[in-house]
């Protein structure tokens, strides 16, 4: 088996493995750092009622006068006082006001709140028994009608999904769950990972070194990485350079693990035991070597449905490939990637970005290489320390890998280079890994050929099948998304390359671009099962072509093509 690029190697893993599906219910604060196992929607709008954002006086906006001032105040009788949580529901009539505190429900009939700072404080008072002695309030500055009014559902509406399956539960998402009334949350079970280092020369930290021995760095690096990523290390051992004993230990670990990671013994030396170990385990080899330095001997296998990642024994090479493969494997085992559908792209992509190189690269071009580096504010520099495959110190401040293509080099400082982001969670952040990739299907044809009518019918049928569908239109003649005079138009004219508009129900964005990738299109609708494209006649997407009036659009044919592309049959 020839060495392959790491993207293809990861794809083979993701296509072969079965996601771990077990979940558990945890109290909110016990779920911090875990992955959400389902979508969580709001049971109530937030806030659940119109409320005041400040202390002041609630009144009818029609009573506000523009020229109110200290020497000519607006004077209103105050009929009631309401606090947050009171449960009181007073009513405001024109010509009256109600004293109101921050967070209290806005009284019926009121649509405006005057800040307490813009009044004399008022003469009414709340008695100890809860009753209210009426008085008057002098208002020195009136706001616009409707001011200081927080509407029900202004944060989110009932039914809005605010926490999605696969999202990591940090403080903000835990708070959202609490705000929606949830006391517990379903989370994905932690992955159980076994870590082995091979080599009779390895010694446990804390013991004296004998001649020719070294401390075991690799197993601690791998186990710490697994833990940092939020998963569980269930076995961590050093193995001797004996294939039969190593195979037996790994076989036992496979019975309790979702993934096994080994370091060492993968090359062609006399004591490189992993090829023999994989043979003894009757493992299916997915790839035998990676066409990238460092870490070319890295191997991947499947044993009884469980993935084995066999890394180099050189610490620098082993950890580089752990960063390269680790989070992708964790994401696949959690079910965050779906690459098994042959109708979809099975080419995995590492989360990457472009950055300006701070220092020159002197080495001439050879095979593809990965260099440890630190990225910040659009620039990338080499990590401190040495860079050979046997040296580890350069990882102390490494947060990315510079990806040097085959045959490229030397490179001067200041050029743009591709960097692979290596922080745990990088795949989720950069690739939208917590979402399955939607299927794309295009409906194209000439103007007035019936495309939109056909799409209307298809969307209705697909929705009836429970398929979450989004639509994107392509206009080959360009278009203007911002109507002259709107805020977005003014900002575009000022130089913004993109604009967006939010409401409580929808979102629209526009930016200047010559081309857009499938990933960018998918990111617009990350929850979609299917994205229907209107137009895109020159694209490579599977498509149905409308030829009306020569041929009336065949709704049943288009629907069958889409369902086949989705890998589903209509009921």
């Amino acid at each position: 088996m020839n060495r392959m690029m790491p993207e293809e190697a990861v794809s083979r893993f993701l296509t072969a493995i079965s996601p771990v599906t077990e979940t558990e219910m945890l109290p909110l604060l016990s779920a911090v750092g875990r992955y959400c196992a389902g979508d969580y929607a709001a049971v109530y709008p937030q806030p659940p009622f119109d409320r005041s954002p400040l202390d002041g006086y609630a009144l009818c906006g029609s009573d506000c006068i523009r020229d109110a001032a200290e020497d000519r105040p607006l004077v209103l009788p105050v009929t009631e006082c309401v606090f947050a949580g009171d449960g009181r529901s007073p009513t405001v009539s024109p010509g009256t006001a109600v004293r109101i505190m921050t967070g209290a429900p806005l009284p019926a009939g009121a649509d405006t709140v005057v800040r307490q700072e813009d009044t004399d404080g008022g003469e009414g008072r709340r008695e100890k028994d809860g009753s209210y002695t009426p008085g008057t309030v002098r208002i020195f500055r009136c706001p616009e009608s409707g001011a200081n009014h927080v509407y029900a559902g202004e944060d989110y509406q009932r039914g809005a999904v605010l926490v999605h399956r696969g999202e990591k539960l940090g403080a903000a998402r835990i708070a959202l769950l609490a705000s929606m009334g949830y006391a517990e949350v379903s989370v994905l079970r932690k992955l159980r990972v076994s870590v082995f280092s091979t080599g009779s020369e390895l010694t446990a930290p804390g013991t004296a070194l004998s001649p020719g021995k070294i401390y075991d760095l690799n197993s601690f690096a791998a186990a710490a990485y697994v833990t940092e990523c939020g998963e569980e290390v269930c076995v961590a051992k050093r193995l001797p350079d004996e294939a039969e004993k190593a195979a037996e230990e790994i076989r036992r670990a496979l019975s309790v693990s979702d993934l096994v990671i080994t370091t060492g013994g993968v090359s062609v030396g006399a004591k490189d035991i992993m090829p023999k170990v994989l043979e003894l385990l009757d493992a299916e080899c997915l790839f035998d070597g990676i066409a990238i330095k460092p870490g070319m001997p890295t191997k991947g296998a499947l044993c009884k449905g469980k993935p084995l990642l066999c890394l180099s024994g050189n610490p620098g090479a082993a950890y580089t490939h752990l960063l390269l493969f680790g989070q992708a494997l964790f994401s696949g085992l959690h079910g965050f990637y779906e690459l098994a559908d042959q109708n979809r792209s099975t080419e995995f992509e590492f989360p990457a970005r472009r950055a300006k190189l701070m220092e020159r690269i002197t080495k001439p071009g050879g095979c593809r290489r990965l260099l440890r580096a630190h990225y910040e504010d659009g620039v990338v520099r080499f990590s401190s320390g040495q860079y050979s495959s046997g040296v580890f110190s350069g990882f102390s401040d490494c947060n990315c890998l510079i990806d040097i293509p085959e045959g490229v080099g030397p490179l001067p400082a200041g050029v743009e280079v591709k960097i692979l982001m290596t922080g745990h969670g990088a795949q989720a952040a950069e690739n939208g890994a917590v979402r399955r990739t939607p299927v794309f299907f295009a409906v194209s044809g000439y103007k007035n050929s019936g495309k939109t009518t056909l799409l209307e019918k298809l969307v209705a049928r697909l929705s009836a099948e429970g398929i979450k569908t989004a639509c994107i239109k392509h206009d080959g003649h360009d278009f203007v998304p911002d109507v002259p005079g709107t805020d977005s138009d003014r900002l575009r004219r000022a130089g913004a390359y993109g604009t967006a508009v939010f409401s409580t129900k929808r979102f629209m964005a526009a930016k200047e671009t010559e081309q857009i990738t499938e990933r960018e299109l998918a990111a617009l609708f990350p929850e979609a099962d299917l994205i229907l494209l209107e137009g895109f006649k020159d694209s490579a997407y599977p498509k149905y072509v409308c030829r009306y009036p020569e041929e009336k659009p065949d709704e049943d044919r288009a629907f069958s093509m889409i369902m086949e592309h989705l890998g589903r049959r209509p009921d």
Side-chain angles (χ1 to χ4, degrees):
M1 188 177 293
N2 294 328
R3 288 173 177 164
M4 64 181 61
M5 286 297 173
E7 290 84 357
E8 184 182 353
V10 172
S11 295
R12 291 199 176 193
F13 260 137
L14 297 180
T15 302
I17 60 181
S18 298
V20 175
T21 58
E22 293 95 330
T23 63
E24 58 181 321
M25 292 294 296
L26 292 178
L28 290 187
L29 293 182
S30 298
V32 175
R34 301 291 292 274
Y35 291 104
C36 191
D39 291 347
Y40 279 79
V43 181
Y44 304 98
Q46 176 67 10
F49 45 78
D50 291 2
R51 66 178 180 85
S52 173
L54 45 81
D55 294 343
Y57 288 85
L59 47 84
C60 301
S62 58
D63 288 331
C64 291
I65 57 175
R66 291 183 179 275
D67 59 350
E70 290 195 23
D71 59 348
R72 51 180 183 280
L74 169 65
V75 182
L76 294 174
V78 182
T79 60
E80 183 59 273
C81 178
V82 59
F83 286 80
D86 259 356
R88 303 162 69 89
S89 301
T91 298
V92 171
S93 302
T96 67
V98 164
R99 181 85 167 93
I100 192 167
M101 303 302 174
T102 303
L106 209 64
D111 63 359
T112 304
V113 177
V114 178
R115 299 188 311 160
Q116 179 172 307
E117 297 91 322
D118 295 331
T119 74
D120 66 351
E123 297 174 350
R125 64 181 184 275
R126 189 82 174 263
E127 307 295 348
K128 289 183 178 180
D129 64 1
S131 63
Y132 183 75
T133 300
T136 59
V137 62
R138 290 172 173 80
I139 299 171
F140 306 131
R141 187 178 295 107
C142 282
E144 294 289 331
S145 178
N148 303 320
H149 182 159
V150 178
Y151 292 89
E154 188 168 300
D155 190 352
Y156 53 78
Q157 295 287 337
R158 180 179 182 275
V161 177
L162 299 180
V163 179
H164 296 83
R165 179 186 183 276
E167 290 181 332
K168 200 164 191 177
L169 297 173
R173 292 189 176 105
I174 291 292
L176 276 174
L177 288 166
S179 79
M180 291 187 282
Y182 294 100
E184 295 182 316
V185 58
S186 178
V187 297
L188 301 176
R189 169 174 71 75
K190 287 186 177 183
L191 300 176
R192 302 181 185 116
V193 184
S194 290
V195 174
F196 294 98
S197 54
T198 67
S200 299
E201 76 280 12
L202 300 179
T203 299
T207 60
L209 278 180
S210 303
K213 301 287 188 178
I214 59 171
Y215 286 120
D216 177 15
L217 176 159
N218 283 338
S219 65
F220 281 85
Y225 176 82
V226 170
T227 305
E228 267 192 336
C229 289
E231 312 304 346
E232 176 186 345
V233 178
C234 59
V235 178
K237 283 189 175 182
R238 287 176 296 283
L239 301 176
D241 293 325
E242 300 176 40
E244 290 76 10
K245 290 184 179 180
E248 186 55 36
E249 290 283 1
I250 294 173
R251 185 177 288 109
R252 279 198 289 268
L254 283 166
S255 66
V256 295
S257 306
D258 304 304
L259 166 67
V260 171
I261 299 172
T262 70
T263 60
V266 292
S267 194
V268 293
K271 287 200 170 184
D272 285 319
I273 61 171
M274 289 312 298
K276 180 64 175 177
V277 168
L278 295 178
E279 181 183 325
L280 291 170
L281 292 171
D282 195 25
E284 174 191 354
C285 186
L286 299 178
F287 56 89
D288 187 8
I290 300 296
I292 201 167
K293 286 186 175 181
M296 279 188 163
T298 295
K299 303 181 189 302
L302 204 66
C303 184
K304 296 182 179 179
K306 306 286 184 68
L308 282 76
L309 177 63
C310 306
L311 305 172
S312 167
N314 288 320
Y319 200 67
T320 296
H321 279 233
L322 186 60
L323 295 176
L324 203 59
F325 284 88
Q327 187 63 47
L329 274 171
F330 298 156
S331 295
L333 285 166
H334 277 307
F336 299 160
Y337 288 111
E338 294 183 359
L339 296 180
D341 189 331
Q342 63 181 357
N343 291 317
R344 305 188 189 190
S345 169
T346 57
E347 174 88 8
F348 173 85
E349 292 184 45
F350 292 103
R353 62 181 60 174
R354 307 292 295 183
K356 183 181 290 187
L357 185 64
M358 291 286 287
E359 303 141 291
R360 64 192 181 98
I361 295 175
T362 58
K363 192 168 183 178
C367 70
R368 185 179 173 189
R369 291 173 291 146
L370 297 175
L371 304 178
R372 306 159 214 182
H374 184 87
Y375 169 82
E376 189 173 358
D377 294 332
V379 298
V380 62
R381 59 171 176 80
F382 299 135
S383 298
S384 58
Q386 300 297 314
Y387 299 98
S388 70
S389 61
V391 172
F392 194 83
S393 59
F395 287 106
S396 58
D397 65 342
C398 169
N399 66 2
C400 68
L401 300 168
I402 301 175
D403 188 356
I404 307 298
E406 180 180 1
V408 173
L411 289 174
V415 300
E416 268 202 349
V417 292
K418 179 182 178 182
I419 59 173
L420 307 182
M421 305 308 295
T422 59
H424 42 84
Q427 270 77 15
E430 297 287 334
N431 277 347
V434 297
R435 307 277 193 270
R436 57 190 180 278
T437 303
V439 166
F440 288 86
F441 189 89
V443 172
S444 62
Y446 291 106
K447 186 176 181 180
N448 298 323
S449 61
K451 300 188 297 296
T452 303
T453 300
L454 175 60
L455 282 167
E456 284 180 313
K457 296 176 180 178
L458 291 172
V459 168
R461 290 180 65 173
L462 291 163
S463 297
E465 292 284 340
I467 297 167
K468 198 165 189 176
T469 305
C471 297
I472 297 176
K473 178 180 175 65
H474 176 259
D475 190 332
H477 303 288
D478 204 1
F479 64 100
V480 179
D482 301 301
V483 178
T486 61
D487 290 349
S488 57
D489 176 65
R490 292 168 60 189
L491 294 171
R492 291 290 285 273
R493 291 176 183 275
Y497 96 101
T499 58
V501 181
F502 288 88
S503 77
T504 56
K505 295 183 178 179
R506 57 179 58 87
F507 160 73
M508 185 195 80
K511 69 177 184 178
E512 303 296 340
T513 183
E514 293 183 1
Q515 59 182 0
I516 189 166
T517 66
E518 183 173 301
R519 183 185 296 178
E520 288 174 304
L521 289 173
L524 295 173
F525 305 103
E527 296 104 348
D529 302 309
L530 169 71
I531 293 181
L532 288 177
L533 306 168
E534 181 178 351
F536 292 79
K537 64 184 179 65
D538 297 322
S539 71
Y541 296 117
K543 62 175 65 70
Y544 177 88
V545 180
C546 295
R547 306 183 190 279
Y548 183 82
E550 293 84 2
E551 176 182 312
K552 186 177 180 180
D554 188 338
E555 177 190 336
D556 290 335
R557 171 61 180 150
F559 182 75
S560 296
M561 290 172 67
I562 293 170
M563 296 299 282
E564 181 180 353
H565 189 52
L566 282 163
R568 296 177 55 171
R569 293 180 181 275
D571 294 332

